[in-house]
Amino acid sequence: MYNIDIIRRDFPILSRQVHRRPLVYLDNAATTQKPLAVLDAMRSEYLNANANVHRGVHYLSQQATELHEAARERVRRFLNARSTAEIIFTRGTTEAINLVAATFCAAHMQAGDEVLLTDMEHHSDIVPWQMQAQSRGIVVRHLPISDDGLLRTDLLDEYIGERTRLLCLTHVSNVLGTVNPVADVIRRAHEHGVPVLVDAAQSAPHLSIDVQQLDCDFLALSGHKMYGPTGVGVLYGKEAWLDRLPPYQGGGEMISSVSWQGTTYNELPFKFEAGTPDYVATHGLATAIDYIDALGMDDIRRHEQQLLAYCHEQLQQIDGLRIIGPADTMAKDAVVSFVVDGLHPLDLGTLLDQMGVAVRTGHHCAQPLLERLGLTSTVRASFALYNTTAEVDALAAALRRVIPMLR
């Protein structure tokens, strides 16, 4: 059974106070808290098996290497990739997307070729492509959304043109919570011969992902958003695609041999992993995945959907408050963004913090999306597997108190 009281004991930070009030942490879309199991695993490795991986014949190096490569296999199983050769460790979703942008454009795009994004992309899936547009002359296009925050998939065939070389879309919007129909988009893009990159930063902690079933060509995620450490993430890529891409960075580990006459590159996945990896963080990520799987992704999603529906119900009762994005909570996941008539989100967030409620305010690294919606910022409450209905009540009560103060 999903015992929330037992789960919360795994996250000691949730029992602390801020401003002499119990912490209500609702900023999980930015980063999640870490369970003791993850912290203990990383501490144990530093204490007992700390040595550089892949390069040593001594015992500690071999032990650290085994943990690091076991983490790669754990990620492979989590995503149901065909091979560990398809699992590239990165610093996070941002680096994973930058890797694809730089190498894919270098190998497969010419001036005038197009990459298709969507109106709800995070800056991490906009700026890398704009940088490629400036340096290589590629064209960045974006598929529109409806006024209620749903992707206009009815326009997809119109937006995929003869020069579209890659389609990139977020699985779950970090602002709206919208769950995009990625399987359908991938299928239709493939009918046009266009590969697809999925930004799974916001979906990996909440939804089961099977990359073979989705048939995506690339997928990126971040460890820190799924109860793992910061500074580690994953790029999944079909082996056939990764083989066709040049290295992203040069240095140690990604080479087979080096001479003054030239360099030959290492096999996958190491071709894309220059330098010493954060091998302790990868072990932490694997432990976080173990933690998620032990609870069960279906049970986690069921719990979070209950919180989401309850939050919608409570916030809709507050005069002047408007929820941004889909009204149907079944079309979204774990995120509630809202504005209050006449009040600035920054002021709301500042006073909520004084009440012990941690939310995110601002443009959420999605300025083009907010501009499309006629906004400059929102307040965002986002949920995780350890949040409770009592915390939703605390958010609603705090809003009822601070809104009259600001007015």
Side-chain angles (χ1 to χ4, degrees), residues 176-177 301-314 323 328-336 381 383 392:
L176 307 173
R301 177 156 174 76
R302 188 177 302 110
H303 173 73
E304 292 173 342
Q305 284 297 118
Q306 290 171 350
L307 290 175
L308 185 63
Y310 185 66
C311 187
H312 266 240
E313 176 187 318
Q314 295 302 306
I323 294 174
D328 180 6
T329 57
M330 296 306 295
K332 60 188 294 186
D333 185 76
V335 171
V336 181
F383 302 108
V392 175

Side-chain angles (χ1 to χ4, degrees), residues 352-392:
L352 287 173
D353 174 62
Q354 295 299 311
M355 303 290 291
V357 180
V359 295
R360 181 70 43 159
T361 66
H363 54 64
H364 316 296
C365 290
Q367 287 177 288
L369 170 57
L370 291 186
E371 181 180 357
R372 161 64 180 85
L373 298 172
L375 301 168
T376 57
S377 62
T378 72
V379 181
R380 183 186 69 190
S382 51
F383 302 108
L385 58 83
Y386 43 63
N387 289 123
T388 66
T389 54
E391 290 181 313
V392 175

Side-chain angles (χ1 to χ4, degrees), residues 88-93 96 221-224 229-235 282 285:
I88 312 298
F89 284 124
T90 66
R91 290 180 298 162
T93 303
L221 60 83
S222 294
H224 74 98
T230 58
V232 66
V234 171
L235 172 66
T282 60
L285 173 58

Side-chain angles (χ1 to χ4, degrees), residues 214-225:
L214 287 177
D215 198 28
C216 57
D217 301 279
F218 305 97
L219 181 139
L221 60 83
S222 294
H224 74 98
K225 294 184 188 292

Side-chain angles (χ1 to χ4, degrees), residues 74-250:
R74 188 67 186 88
V75 174
R76 184 205 68 77
R77 287 190 284 119
F78 182 68
L79 296 176
N80 193 32
R82 288 183 175 85
S83 165
T84 53
E86 299 181 322
I87 303 299
I88 312 298
F89 284 124
T90 66
R91 290 180 298 162
T93 303
T94 298
E95 185 177 54
I97 294 174
N98 273 271
L99 188 162
V100 175
T103 61
F104 192 93
C105 287
H108 300 290
M109 297 188 74
Q110 305 293 328
D113 285 345
E114 299 175 356
V115 58
L116 179 60
L117 312 179
T118 81
D119 270 351
M120 62 177 72
E121 298 309 303
H122 189 279
H123 292 169
S124 293
D125 198 25
I126 298 175
V127 179
W129 301 106
Q130 291 180 333
M131 293 172 68
Q132 293 298 320
Q134 292 172 354
S135 63
R136 297 181 183 275
I138 70 167
V139 177
V140 180
R141 302 188 69 199
H142 46 100
L143 187 67
I145 62 170
S146 64
D147 292 339
D148 55 353
L150 298 176
L151 196 60
R152 289 291 306 275
T153 55
D154 58 305
L155 299 177
L156 184 60
D157 293 328
E158 175 184 333
Y159 273 75
I160 295 179
E162 291 184 359
R163 301 204 67 175
T164 305
R165 298 292 178 260
L166 188 69
L167 188 156
C168 308
L169 80 161
T170 185
H171 196 172
V172 173
S173 167
N174 73 309
V175 178
L176 307 173
T178 305
V179 180
N180 284 322
V182 292
D184 180 61
V185 171
I186 292 166
R187 177 186 58 78
R188 292 169 62 187
H190 285 174
E191 290 174 354
H192 292 271
V194 175
V196 178
L197 164 63
V198 176
D199 174 355
Q202 295 296 332
S203 58
H206 309 288
L207 303 172
S208 294
I209 296 175
D210 184 327
V211 292
Q212 293 191 64
Q213 188 175 59
L214 287 177
D215 198 28
C216 57
D217 301 279
F218 305 97
L219 181 139
L221 60 83
S222 294
H224 74 98
K225 294 184 188 292
M226 48 191 297
Y227 314 101
T230 58
V232 66
V234 171
L235 172 66
Y236 158 80
K238 287 181 178 177
E239 192 167 353
W241 273 114
L242 294 177
D243 276 334
R244 297 168 62 190
L245 300 181
Y248 177 50
Q249 295 176 319

Side-chain angles (χ1 to χ4, degrees), residues 40-62:
D40 290 345
M42 295 176 68
R43 184 175 187 270
S44 176
E45 182 165 0
Y46 273 125
L47 289 175
N48 299 294
N50 182 40
N52 210 330
V53 297
H54 298 141
R55 302 169 190 172
V57 297
H58 62 83
Y59 179 79
L60 289 185
S61 179
Q62 293 180 29

Side-chain angles (χ1 to χ4, degrees), residues 246-257:
Y248 177 50
Q249 295 176 319
E253 190 63 33
M254 52 74 67
I255 56 88
S256 177
S257 66

